[in-house]
Amino acid sequence: MAENSIVLKNVTKRFGKSVAVDHLNLEIDANSFVSLLGPSGCGKTTTLRMIAGLETPTEGEIWIGDRLVFSAQKGIDVPPNERGVGFLFQNYALWPHMTVYKNIAFGLENLKWSKADIKKKVDELCELLQLSDFLNRYPSELSGGQQQRVAIARTLATSPQILLMDEPLSNLDAKLRLEMRTELKRLHSTTKATFVYVTHDQLEAMALSTSICLMNTAVLQQYAPPLKIYAEPVNMFVADFVGNPAMNFVDFSLETSGSVPFIRREKETFGVEALQEKELKASGKDVILGIRPEDVKIGSAGKIPGKVISSFPYGMETTVIVECMGTNLRSVVFGSINFTEGQEIMVDLDNRRTCFFHKETKELISLGKISHIKE
């Protein structure tokens, strides 16, 4: 097993009667960039802190490479400073009385590195993170983004093979966040370290990660590459959480008596081509259709009448709320187009990539295609 892989086996963390993380099994490959994503209180920061050794699990095992660093059963708990991980916090925690150079060199001085080696390492990191002009400045003389880069440089100075990050960009403004995302992606490819990154921002997780671990109420919901989570969400929580604007969910009645299944709503009927047709037919008389806003098409070629409720032009694209089939649908129209409130329009549902969810369990039954049938 590579030395910078991480494996969590049946890890549980309880605080009194509340469960913060519930029987989590997770394998993080060496050199990957894994985001722990989910709403506040879902257990993602607790998971990160348990990997770091800053929080003690109630049950389970944690392996870093082929080394068992925690086992509740065997009474093993390797302290944080011996786990070979770097930790980057939400607040940068820079020493205010030390220059940029001193802040970055601090950990290396503690490791008794020679002055020449420390200077070489600090210069190398400052070049990588574009900090060479600020070596003699103090944290108070730096912008938020510069302070963040110093914190990253300080964490990387000891060459950790695993870098754990807890919402490190949340204190930055939107422009700086974008710049730092680019920086983190570049750092990941140059350092060859394993990055584990906590965020509640699904766009950030989608943009940065090789895989996303999506959690809700202490439980792992789905662990997969970003585009797989987007295209094949395992349940309605995942489908709703990932994607902006969020996926549309529409109730349909399901008819499976004929050779081809149909779904109906209001006066509209669609033929269904499901990848798991057997499971769809066994799911009951009702089904929830999940369709992404970019697949709700507005235009003269549409077959379903609709009316614009509101329109939000963003320049490159416009988000439109459409009243259609007795419900409101979110649509994304690409291009600089605006719509007027109350405007009558025609709508089509792109038939290539639809999700069918179980009405009761909210789990994904099947992916499939739909085709509008004129009755």
Side-chain angles (χ1 to χ4, degrees):
M1 198 184 288
E3 64 181 39
N4 57 339
S5 61
I6 305 165
V7 177
L8 281 70
K9 295 182 180 176
N10 217 23
V11 169
T12 297
K13 175 64 182 177
R14 294 189 194 90
F15 293 101
K17 288 184 179 177
S18 71
V19 180
V21 176
D22 195 3
H23 295 93
L24 177 62
N25 289 289
L26 190 62
E27 288 189 22
I28 297 172
D29 293 335
N31 312 330
S32 59
F33 194 132
V34 171
S35 287
L36 304 177
L37 175 67
S40 296
C42 72
K44 53 192 187 292
T45 293
T46 303
T47 299
L48 196 77
R49 290 175 64 83
M50 288 192 290
I51 295 169
L54 301 171
E55 206 74 71
T56 306
T58 313
E59 296 169 26
E61 286 184 356
I62 298 174
W63 292 77
I64 293 178
D66 53 9
R67 185 180 180 209
L68 183 61
V69 296
F70 178 84
S71 171
Q73 201 175 2
K74 296 175 183 171
I76 294 168
D77 192 2
V78 174
N81 60 328
E82 291 174 25
R83 293 195 182 190
V85 301
F87 204 106
L88 195 61
F89 292 96
Q90 194 170 352
N91 57 348
Y92 320 130
L94 298 175
W95 301 106
H97 60 288
M98 289 185 188
T99 62
V100 167
Y101 184 94
K102 274 289 198 183
N103 262 286
I104 299 168
F106 184 73
L108 302 175
E109 287 168 354
N110 284 349
L111 293 172
K112 305 286 189 283
W113 280 34
S114 72
K115 282 191 173 180
D117 286 344
I118 290 174
K119 185 177 185 321
K120 186 182 173 191
K121 186 69 175 178
V122 173
D123 287 347
E124 183 187 302
L125 284 166
C126 286
E127 195 174 325
L128 182 71
L129 286 156
Q130 291 148 23
L131 290 167
S132 303
D133 295 341
F134 310 109
L135 284 172
N136 296 316
R137 291 200 193 175
Y138 290 89
S140 61
E141 299 171 317
L142 302 175
S143 70
Q146 289 161 350
Q147 287 184 42
Q148 182 59 279
R149 294 209 295 274
V150 174
I152 291 171
R154 185 181 60 181
T155 308
L156 290 175
T158 54
S159 302
Q161 281 305 288
I162 293 170
L163 188 56
L164 308 176
M165 293 174 276
D166 188 7
E167 304 216 32
L169 311 185
S170 60
N171 294 340
L172 304 179
D173 63 48
K175 186 171 180 288
L176 266 179
R177 283 185 82 142
L178 276 176
E179 285 175 18
M180 286 308 300
R181 280 179 199 168
T182 308
E183 206 66 60
L184 286 175
K185 204 148 188 172
R186 188 171 63 87
L187 273 176
H188 179 246
S189 63
T190 51
T191 59
K192 298 285 184 272
T194 302
F195 282 25
V196 187
Y197 188 91
V198 163
T199 181
H200 63 269
D201 183 333
Q202 47 100 2
L203 287 176
E204 199 158 86
M206 292 281 290
L208 292 173
S209 318
T210 53
S211 286
I212 292 174
C213 167
L214 182 51
M215 300 175 75
N216 188 32
T217 56
V219 177
L220 173 63
Q221 302 292 315
Q222 189 167 359
Y223 181 44
L227 294 178
K228 186 175 174 69
I229 282 185
Y230 187 79
E232 303 174 27
V234 295
N235 56 37
M236 284 176 62
F237 170 79
V238 174
D240 190 43
F241 199 86
V242 173
N244 186 30
M247 183 181 266
N248 295 292
F249 298 111
V250 188
D251 289 342
F252 278 85
S253 59
L254 175 65
E255 294 178 26
T256 56
S257 52
S259 57
V260 178
F262 293 96
I263 54 171
R264 280 199 172 93
R265 182 183 174 88
E266 301 281 302
K267 297 171 184 171
E268 307 301 334
T269 304
F270 298 85
V272 173
E273 196 181 312
L275 292 178
Q276 281 80 35
E277 191 173 305
K278 190 177 166 190
E279 287 83 347
L280 185 67
K281 285 181 173 178
S283 65
K285 291 182 178 176
D286 294 298
V287 71
I288 296 173
L289 189 75
I291 190 155
R292 292 281 177 199
E294 62 269 28
D295 295 329
V296 177
K297 306 292 186 185
I298 296 173
S300 55
K303 305 175 188 75
I304 310 158
K307 186 171 76 174
V308 173
I309 301 294
S310 50
S311 175
F312 304 94
Y314 297 112
M316 187 175 71
E317 63 191 39
T318 301
T319 299
V320 191
I321 312 297
V322 181
E323 189 184 301
C324 178
M325 297 186 293
T327 188
N328 286 355
L329 298 178
R330 285 176 291 274
S331 170
V332 171
V333 180
F334 295 98
S336 297
I337 307 161
N338 201 2
F339 295 85
T340 54
E341 203 174 301
Q343 184 179 340
E344 302 283 339
I345 50 164
M346 296 304 286
V347 175
D348 212 352
L349 304 184
D350 192 311
N351 66 355
R352 291 166 299 168
R353 45 184 183 186
T354 321
C355 297
F356 298 94
F357 296 102
H358 196 282
K359 177 88 183 205
E360 305 302 327
T361 67
K362 313 295 189 221
E363 301 289 317
L364 181 73
I365 306 163
S366 178
L367 300 168
K369 300 176 182 178
I370 59 169
S371 49
H372 188 263
I373 296 168
K374 200 81 175 164
E375 294 200 342

